[in-house]
Amino acid sequence: MTHSSTPVPVLDIDLIDSLRADLGASEWTVDRINTALSATAKDAMMRGMRVPAMLELAGSHDPAAVLTRFFMLGADEASDVLDAALPSLGARGLVRLGLAGPGGTEGEAGADGAGTPPRLAALFDLRPHSASLPDPDDPASQREHQWWVASDLGEDVTGRPLDEDHVLGIGGASLSLLGQTIRERVDSALDLGCGCGIQALYLATHCGRVVATDLSARAGALTQFNAALNGAPIDVRVGSLFEPVSGESFDLIVSNPPFVITPDTVRAGAGFHEYRDGGMQRDELVGSLIRSAPDHLAPGGTLQILANWEIPAGADPDRLWSSRVEDWLSGLGVDAWVVQRDALDPAQYAEMWIQDSGGRRMSHEAFERGYAAWLRDFTAAGVGAIGMGFLAVRRPEPGEGECAPGGSDQDAGGGQWLPGGGRAAFDLALEGRVPRGVDVAWALRSLRAPRTWDLALTRAPDVREERHYVPGSPDPCLLVLHQGAGLGRSVPVSSAVSAIVGASDGGLTVGQIVTAVAALTDREADEVWDEAREPLAELIRWGFLTF
């Protein structure tokens, strides 16, 4: 694997302004592409297959169709066709910006005598991206945003494996982090490991100051280009982890870091890519980032990070998966909501990342050699599974929620005390929806809830109950609460918990409801409370109940 031979785009503000004007005038938007292409073609593009879309757009001189063919599908275009699609910038301007080079017969002089080839090929992927985000000044309403984002061309266009310094576009992991980031107005934010800069572009919609960092100079250059193209004030710096922001703190830090656990034997071959591999041993990069983050969080500040972590061989990956993450959080004095959305065995993990790095284009021998290297490494390290998920970490305000570590779980909200202070909750996301920013903010807030017994809770309006009966029995044998919005969870509960949830209309405290349920069922109030306390804390965290 080698570094890209393609120079980064040129940061010429005048040319970039012309490009932005042309893209806007062409109405090259996500909606326009969705209208122009069939569901079959769009689904094929998601799988890395461009042929259906190429056939549907063939021959069209509509500017949006030309730009889609050229930048997203990698088709050569005639210079005069590009001149018509981009009348302010023109084909020559594309070349001067470094976004295009000779296509067809290389080196052939253009008809304008200026050396512009008669046909051009895109050197970068460029595509529209849109989002409807909560208005930070009025969270009940939404604001529409439209960007154009440049990244390196993918394997489906180039037909060759990715370079070491490949800058990835907007993938599934990026979209997941974008969706779950808290979109509240804050003074400062950091995008750590910025890649093409899409997280930073979103942050600029609700943060007063945005810094974006990456170890890759190529990623930093593309983020600078995308910030200029979209008129976003982003301070881009190159360096490892928190080194570029030494001594600075932020209200919000987001990171989709290079978390892939890559064996050294794979790195030494063709398995190293800067966008996914931070060069550290095992899962230490994520641990190092988490342990350093509190020094760069302002009081009340939040870190949101995607992560992988190792689960020891012999541990149930659905029950005993959190020990590695607990070690990272120990002694930091922070609150954390940790969600494992999936767990893969070493073979599944190796297959996924080999495919990600050009497995379809490898020889059979190279594939199996690399596969064996991954498996031998995990076996030697005693790894039985790899957890995949996210962490939301919050630095409490001074004096906030001062309950003695090791105290009763009744002293505060759900979760558990961490060594050194702070509370954490560890959840499996095996069903339901990807959390939204509001869900993450609420989950963190719930960890510092007052003593649940004293709370007056309100049942969310979307909660419904399902009851199962043995035929002929008057009493249900199973009760399940369903959440229509929020995380979309379905949770089995006991009759006592169901009764408490049903009576939670904000008028009575939990203690009053528990006392009433105990009297109606001829039980002791302490017995009912012991049964309901932890389920209620989880229902609060997941949004079934609010306070």
Side-chain angles (χ1 to χ4, degrees), residues 92 108-117:
R92 188 180 181 189
E108 187 177 337
D112 60 4
T116 304

PDB file of all heavy atoms in Angstrom, residues 92 108-117:
ATOM      1  N   ARG A  92     -11.399  24.291 -17.074  1.00  0.00           N
ATOM      2  CA  ARG A  92     -10.057  24.752 -16.733  1.00  0.00           C
ATOM      3  C   ARG A  92      -9.936  25.043 -15.240  1.00  0.00           C
ATOM      4  O   ARG A  92      -8.918  24.747 -14.604  1.00  0.00           O
ATOM      5  CB  ARG A  92      -9.732  25.999 -17.550  1.00  0.00           C
ATOM      6  CG  ARG A  92      -8.286  26.460 -17.419  1.00  0.00           C
ATOM      7  CD  ARG A  92      -8.030  27.692 -18.262  1.00  0.00           C
ATOM      8  NE  ARG A  92      -6.657  28.125 -18.164  1.00  0.00           N
ATOM      9  CZ  ARG A  92      -6.186  29.253 -18.654  1.00  0.00           C
ATOM     10  NH1 ARG A  92      -7.014  30.089 -19.299  1.00  0.00           N
ATOM     11  NH2 ARG A  92      -4.914  29.590 -18.521  1.00  0.00           N
ATOM     12  N   GLU A 108      -3.580  15.250 -24.312  1.00  0.00           N
ATOM     13  CA  GLU A 108      -4.071  15.866 -25.539  1.00  0.00           C
ATOM     14  C   GLU A 108      -4.499  17.296 -25.267  1.00  0.00           C
ATOM     15  O   GLU A 108      -5.254  17.565 -24.335  1.00  0.00           O
ATOM     16  CB  GLU A 108      -5.248  15.041 -26.069  1.00  0.00           C
ATOM     17  CG  GLU A 108      -5.745  15.487 -27.423  1.00  0.00           C
ATOM     18  CD  GLU A 108      -6.860  14.569 -27.908  1.00  0.00           C
ATOM     19  OE1 GLU A 108      -6.913  13.421 -27.433  1.00  0.00           O
ATOM     20  OE2 GLU A 108      -7.659  15.003 -28.735  1.00  0.00           O
ATOM     21  N   ALA A 109      -4.040  18.255 -26.069  1.00  0.00           N
ATOM     22  CA  ALA A 109      -4.311  19.665 -25.818  1.00  0.00           C
ATOM     23  C   ALA A 109      -5.761  19.985 -26.061  1.00  0.00           C
ATOM     24  O   ALA A 109      -6.420  19.382 -26.906  1.00  0.00           O
ATOM     25  CB  ALA A 109      -3.433  20.539 -26.702  1.00  0.00           C
ATOM     26  N   GLY A 110      -6.288  20.968 -25.303  1.00  0.00           N
ATOM     27  CA  GLY A 110      -7.682  21.357 -25.461  1.00  0.00           C
ATOM     28  C   GLY A 110      -7.875  22.286 -26.634  1.00  0.00           C
ATOM     29  O   GLY A 110      -6.943  22.928 -27.141  1.00  0.00           O
ATOM     30  N   ALA A 111      -9.121  22.405 -27.064  1.00  0.00           N
ATOM     31  CA  ALA A 111      -9.458  23.247 -28.200  1.00  0.00           C
ATOM     32  C   ALA A 111      -9.243  24.716 -27.899  1.00  0.00           C
ATOM     33  O   ALA A 111      -9.089  25.526 -28.809  1.00  0.00           O
ATOM     34  CB  ALA A 111     -10.900  23.007 -28.624  1.00  0.00           C
ATOM     35  N   ASP A 112      -9.215  25.083 -26.601  1.00  0.00           N
ATOM     36  CA  ASP A 112      -9.045  26.498 -26.282  1.00  0.00           C
ATOM     37  C   ASP A 112      -7.588  26.930 -26.324  1.00  0.00           C
ATOM     38  O   ASP A 112      -7.265  28.081 -26.088  1.00  0.00           O
ATOM     39  CB  ASP A 112      -9.643  26.819 -24.902  1.00  0.00           C
ATOM     40  CG  ASP A 112      -8.980  26.029 -23.774  1.00  0.00           C
ATOM     41  OD1 ASP A 112      -8.006  25.301 -24.048  1.00  0.00           O
ATOM     42  OD2 ASP A 112      -9.447  26.147 -22.627  1.00  0.00           O
ATOM     43  N   GLY A 113      -6.705  25.990 -26.627  1.00  0.00           N
ATOM     44  CA  GLY A 113      -5.289  26.304 -26.722  1.00  0.00           C
ATOM     45  C   GLY A 113      -4.626  26.517 -25.381  1.00  0.00           C
ATOM     46  O   GLY A 113      -3.458  26.896 -25.323  1.00  0.00           O
ATOM     47  N   ALA A 114      -5.326  26.326 -24.305  1.00  0.00           N
ATOM     48  CA  ALA A 114      -4.776  26.564 -22.969  1.00  0.00           C
ATOM     49  C   ALA A 114      -4.265  25.288 -22.326  1.00  0.00           C
ATOM     50  O   ALA A 114      -3.876  25.292 -21.166  1.00  0.00           O
ATOM     51  CB  ALA A 114      -5.842  27.199 -22.080  1.00  0.00           C
ATOM     52  N   GLY A 115      -4.289  24.211 -23.069  1.00  0.00           N
ATOM     53  CA  GLY A 115      -3.792  22.958 -22.540  1.00  0.00           C
ATOM     54  C   GLY A 115      -4.816  22.159 -21.789  1.00  0.00           C
ATOM     55  O   GLY A 115      -4.473  21.136 -21.190  1.00  0.00           O
ATOM     56  N   THR A 116      -6.072  22.590 -21.754  1.00  0.00           N
ATOM     57  CA  THR A 116      -7.112  21.824 -21.081  1.00  0.00           C
ATOM     58  C   THR A 116      -7.458  20.608 -21.937  1.00  0.00           C
ATOM     59  O   THR A 116      -7.833  20.760 -23.101  1.00  0.00           O
ATOM     60  CB  THR A 116      -8.382  22.668 -20.879  1.00  0.00           C
ATOM     61  OG1 THR A 116      -8.038  23.855 -20.166  1.00  0.00           O
ATOM     62  CG2 THR A 116      -9.419  21.886 -20.085  1.00  0.00           C
ATOM     63  N   PRO A 117      -7.304  19.401 -21.405  1.00  0.00           N
ATOM     64  CA  PRO A 117      -7.596  18.209 -22.208  1.00  0.00           C
ATOM     65  C   PRO A 117      -9.049  18.207 -22.672  1.00  0.00           C
ATOM     66  O   PRO A 117      -9.931  18.756 -21.999  1.00  0.00           O
ATOM     67  CB  PRO A 117      -7.323  17.061 -21.235  1.00  0.00           C
ATOM     68  CG  PRO A 117      -6.426  17.634 -20.198  1.00  0.00           C
ATOM     69  CD  PRO A 117      -6.834  19.068 -20.052  1.00  0.00           C
TER      70      PRO A 117
END
